[in-house]
Amino acid sequence: MDEKTIKATENKLNTTKGLKALFSKEPINVERAIRYIDYERKLKKLQVELIKLQKWVIKNDERIIVVFQGRDAAGKGGAIRRITERINPRFMRIVALPKPTEDEQTQWYFQRYVEQLPKAGEMVFFDRSWYNRAVVEPVNGFCTPKQYDIFMNQVNDFERMILESGIHLVKIYMSISKKEQAKRFQEIKTDPLKQWKMTKVDEKAQELWDEYTKYKDLMFEKTHTENSPWKIIRANKKTEARVNAINHILKSIPYQKDIEI
């Protein structure tokens, strides 16, 4: 390491964030701390752009939907938190719908999602979406084969109507390896602050890995279209995944980059 690099490293570490990153985990790892500091700097710049994006949305009565799908423990919620933590909460919503009620089970499948679509000047982030019926539901027996087929026959038309109504739709799939999922499940199980995240569906995710893969591939084959494509984000490294997800959102929306904030 040359003198210039050493000096730059010292400058990064000799800050509140640098010291926090250095001593947050044992054993002390300088390279890990530097990576985290660089990530924080990238994230701050991207969050400034997200504020510009939201200003543009509000000013022009635009509407944006960002769908996050992915395997259990893939980091969807963490990515959404980083995206939304600096923008105005009055003009955005995070939607994570629970299991359908008895009444909702008798309705058109998309109906409860239609009720969550953005109004003018609003951004809506779906932490899982209507695509539960493409993968999670058939894998776990939560829908019938007929219900699955109906969904797959309707979903592209549903999204076409969303797009034709002037709503911007961004679809992101967070992808992790089987080994990484197992590691994250173990961390959740042993952390008292995270144990609530573990569900019965999560408990079966590893043994059903190949079934999830089969339905995931069918989903991409059917619903990755020219007008409504999927963006697959490799998410084994959470910080990289968050940065890549934000970059994709910013590239997908033609917002005014020189807008005042």
Side-chain angles (χ1 to χ4, degrees), residues 5 10 43-44 54 95 99 122 147 164 166 176 184 191 206 217 219 225-226 242:
T5 303
E10 289 176 349
L43 183 62
K44 184 176 180 180
Q54 188 187 45
V95 177
K99 177 182 176 181
E122 189 176 40
Q147 289 172 326
E164 287 179 353
I176 57 173
R184 293 185 187 181
D191 187 340
Q206 284 275 292
D217 290 344
M219 178 183 75
T225 64
E226 183 178 353
R242 292 163 186 169

Side-chain angles (χ1 to χ4, degrees), residues 205-239:
Q206 284 275 292
E207 65 182 84
L208 293 173
W209 182 270
D210 291 341
E211 277 293 289
Y212 273 104
T213 300
K214 181 181 80 171
Y215 279 98
K216 177 197 71 174
D217 290 344
L218 288 170
M219 178 183 75
F220 288 148
E221 181 181 338
K222 176 72 175 180
T223 66
H224 179 73
T225 64
E226 183 178 353
N227 292 327
S228 185
W230 281 100
K231 174 65 175 179
I232 299 174
I233 302 287
R234 304 300 176 187
N236 277 3
K237 294 183 179 180
K238 292 181 180 180
T239 53

Side-chain angles (χ1 to χ4, degrees), residues 8 37-38 51 71 77 85 103 148 154 157 161 234-235 241 250:
I37 294 165
D38 290 340
I51 292 171
R71 294 183 190 267
E85 66 183 351
D103 284 342
Y148 168 79
Q154 292 182 346
D157 287 333
M161 288 186 284
R234 304 300 176 187
L250 294 172

Side-chain angles (χ1 to χ4, degrees), residues 159-213:
E159 291 179 1
R160 176 180 54 78
M161 288 186 284
I162 287 175
L163 292 166
E164 287 179 353
S165 72
I167 298 175
H168 300 275
L169 175 62
V170 180
K171 301 191 304 193
I172 293 174
Y173 186 91
M174 307 287 280
S175 177
I176 57 173
S177 67
K178 187 175 183 179
K179 181 179 178 181
E180 180 65 19
Q181 186 187 58
K183 176 186 172 186
R184 293 185 187 181
F185 280 159
Q186 187 58 33
E187 290 173 354
I188 291 170
K189 289 177 182 178
T190 55
D191 187 340
L193 298 177
K194 295 182 179 180
Q195 288 172 355
W196 62 270
K197 293 183 176 183
M198 204 72 184
T199 67
K200 291 181 180 179
V201 171
D202 295 337
E203 294 282 359
K204 298 191 297 181
Q206 284 275 292
E207 65 182 84
L208 293 173
W209 182 270
D210 291 341
E211 277 293 289
Y212 273 104
T213 300

Side-chain angles (χ1 to χ4, degrees), residues 19-193:
L19 293 171
K20 183 179 178 181
L22 186 61
F23 294 106
S24 61
K25 290 184 179 181
E26 294 184 356
I28 292 174
N29 186 317
V30 173
E31 289 185 6
R32 181 179 62 207
I34 293 297
R35 285 199 303 270
Y36 189 77
I37 294 165
D38 290 340
Y39 157 69
E40 285 283 326
R41 290 180 175 178
K42 287 180 185 177
L43 183 62
K44 184 176 180 180
K45 290 180 180 179
L46 290 171
Q47 287 175 332
V48 170
E49 289 303 312
L50 287 168
I51 292 171
K52 292 180 183 179
L53 170 62
Q54 188 187 45
K55 284 280 188 181
W56 173 80
V57 169
I58 296 168
K59 179 181 178 182
N60 296 283
D61 287 336
E62 297 285 348
R63 293 165 293 164
I64 294 177
I65 295 172
V66 183
V67 165
F68 277 87
Q69 293 292 139
R71 294 183 190 267
D72 299 312
K76 300 178 292 296
I80 292 171
R81 283 193 295 275
R82 299 312 180 281
I83 292 165
T84 59
E85 66 183 351
R86 302 295 184 186
I87 62 177
N88 190 332
R90 291 186 302 239
F91 297 92
M92 73 86 180
R93 281 182 293 120
I94 299 172
V95 177
L97 296 183
K99 177 182 176 181
T101 64
E102 288 187 11
D103 284 342
E104 287 173 336
Q105 290 177 30
T106 67
Q107 298 170 350
W108 179 46
Y109 177 74
F110 293 99
Q111 187 166 331
R112 70 186 192 133
Y113 293 103
V114 169
E115 293 169 358
Q116 300 295 333
L117 298 184
K119 61 180 182 290
E122 189 176 40
M123 302 168 68
V124 175
F125 299 86
F126 281 91
D127 186 349
R128 293 194 182 280
S129 68
W130 47 89
Y131 279 105
N132 280 354
R133 180 144 291 182
V135 181
V136 175
E137 291 191 18
V139 168
N140 291 279
F142 297 156
C143 70
T144 66
K146 181 178 179 181
Q147 289 172 326
Y148 168 79
D149 289 340
I150 290 172
F151 170 83
M152 295 299 282
N153 285 330
Q154 292 182 346
V155 62
N156 287 343
D157 287 333
F158 175 66
E159 291 179 1
R160 176 180 54 78
M161 288 186 284
I162 287 175
L163 292 166
E164 287 179 353
S165 72
I167 298 175
H168 300 275
L169 175 62
V170 180
K171 301 191 304 193
I172 293 174
Y173 186 91
M174 307 287 280
S175 177
I176 57 173
S177 67
K178 187 175 183 179
K179 181 179 178 181
E180 180 65 19
Q181 186 187 58
K183 176 186 172 186
R184 293 185 187 181
F185 280 159
Q186 187 58 33
E187 290 173 354
I188 291 170
K189 289 177 182 178
T190 55
D191 187 340
L193 298 177

